[in-house]
Amino acid sequence: MEPAPAPGPAVARPHTGGVSPAVQQTALPAPPLRDFGGGPFGIYVHVPFCATRCGYCDFNTYTAGELGSSASPESWLDALRGEMSTAAAAFDALPSRQPPVSTVFVGGGTPSLLGGDGLADVLEAVRANFTLAADAEVTTESNPESTSPAFFERLRAAGYTRISLGMQSAATHVLRILDRTHTPGRPVAAAREAREAGFDHVNLDLIYGTPGESDADLDASLDAVLAAGVDHVSAYSLIVEDGTAMARKVRRGELPAPDEDVLASRYERIDARLSAAGLRWYEVSNWAASDSGRCRHNLGYWDGGDWLGAGPGAHSHVGGVRWWNVKHPGRYAERIAAAATLPADGWEELTDAERYTERIMLAVRLRSGLPVADLDADGRAAIDGLVAEGLVALRDRVIVLTDRGRLLADGVVRTLLS
Ligand SMILES: C[S@@+](CC[C@H](N)C(=O)[O-])C[C@H]1O[C@@H](n2cnc3c(N)ncnc32)[C@H](O)[C@@H]1O
Ligand code: SF4
């Protein structure tokens, strides 16, 4: 996974807003837009389809059986075109007009289920409505089992610049616990095929701490990742999400919950192996071989940039206003067919206090760190204690997590905000 585990990064709980019927009935876009913030502008496209549902995943995604006739990739693509055209018109009406799009990220769900031609159509829909910067980063997530050399060649020809593959593990029994359907060797083979098709930027997603995973299993996964020669790795601890099949198994005692100490030692192992191979952390869960290998789209989220999130359940953020789309693909398509409004289910304008909290939460996790000047008096008062505990270091008046601090990043954030 790229670090935005939902369509768009985690956002503060809505405290206000909601789309009034009056707004929906007009041709005006809902929610009320604010001007662009002047930073990078990204587009996230959410593809809500998966061949099967992995037992640990609570993303907004559906199998064909779950959707029945309520939605299909075709109706989704039509609706996506409609949403983008409405959004582009709304952005054009803003005083600053829309800036060029610096990054596009097609995520899911399983974008590779659309095939190379389907993903080319998605990028075409973006281009038909927005101006892509000449050096735009264009990423798609892909499941290893639905890729091939021809798929990657089609994507490269269409203008994609970056591939993110959901590898998770190289151990068969771990993949089985996760309900992943690819064979252990397929992600590395897919990464090679992507590079042979001309992709300089390829990411592999790992999950660590799955019940039944041993240190040796993790080492085998890291061996495979390093053999693949990718320039980016994301590694996430397994989260047992409420409401998932995995959570039910844990509750019934059929699976043990991930152990915090094991998770910490696995993280250290991952960081040591990746660092030794020249992949440096730039966000707590992300490593890159060079600055140009970092995911610019996700950096845009973490740096508080603007983005349009298109597709069912996607979140957007423009000029301090956030909105989130209706989640179900069928309702999403109906909303777009019924009115030329954004398919928002709700919106909020962040207060200064919420913006402050979010800024601290995101910046602390970055290697570039958090300038002391961005902290309020309480936050500054907490720094000495965090330094004494060995959780952060101060470099040129910037707070940066130490190795130990990376294991306890959430606690550092809580201390700075308390
Ligand atoms: C939601 S998926 C979308 C891309 C693609 N379908 C895949 O699985 O790689 C993005 C990433 O999120 C990860 N992910 C989803 N649920 C997770 C969880 N509960 N804990 C840790 N990682 C999770 C997936 O394993 C995957 O690498
Ligand atoms: S393939 Fe990816 S998005 Fe689909 S259910 Fe599995 S983890 Fe979730």
Side-chain angles (χ1 to χ4, degrees), residues 1 46-63 107-111 113 141-145 166 168 178-181 205 207:
M1 140 175 81
H46 188 65
V47 182
F49 310 111
C50 283
T52 55
R53 153 91 51 186
C54 307
Y56 61 93
C57 177
D58 74 345
F59 277 59
N60 187 37
T61 186
Y62 306 81
T63 61
T110 305
L113 275 187
E141 290 186 324
S142 294
N143 283 29
E145 69 277 10
Q168 322 311 348
L178 294 173
D179 297 326
R180 299 299 299 214
T181 56
D205 273 357
I207 286 185

Side-chain angles (χ1 to χ4, degrees), residues 177-261:
I177 298 273
L178 294 173
D179 297 326
R180 299 299 299 214
T181 56
H182 58 261
T183 52
R186 181 60 206 147
V188 169
R192 288 211 179 102
E193 289 163 8
R195 291 178 52 224
E196 278 159 22
F199 283 97
D200 294 331
H201 303 305
V202 181
N203 168 62
L204 286 170
D205 273 357
L206 285 179
I207 286 185
Y208 61 95
T210 301
E213 180 193 59
S214 65
D215 286 346
D217 292 331
L218 180 64
D219 284 343
S221 299
L222 291 166
D223 289 345
V225 164
L226 295 175
V230 293
D231 73 338
H232 193 285
V233 178
S234 302
Y236 295 96
S237 63
L238 177 70
I239 312 281
V240 178
E241 301 283 2
D242 284 348
T244 58
M246 179 172 273
R248 287 190 287 281
K249 285 185 187 168
V250 170
R251 210 176 41 244
R252 291 196 296 257
E254 293 163 22
L255 278 181
D259 178 293
E260 289 298 325
D261 291 339

Side-chain angles (χ1 to χ4, degrees), residues 159-182:
Y160 284 81
T161 66
R162 191 169 177 275
I163 299 290
S164 176
L165 289 156
M167 168 173 171
Q168 322 311 348
S169 171
T172 309
H173 66 104
V174 173
L175 292 173
R176 197 173 304 130
I177 298 273
L178 294 173
D179 297 326
R180 299 299 299 214
T181 56
H182 58 261

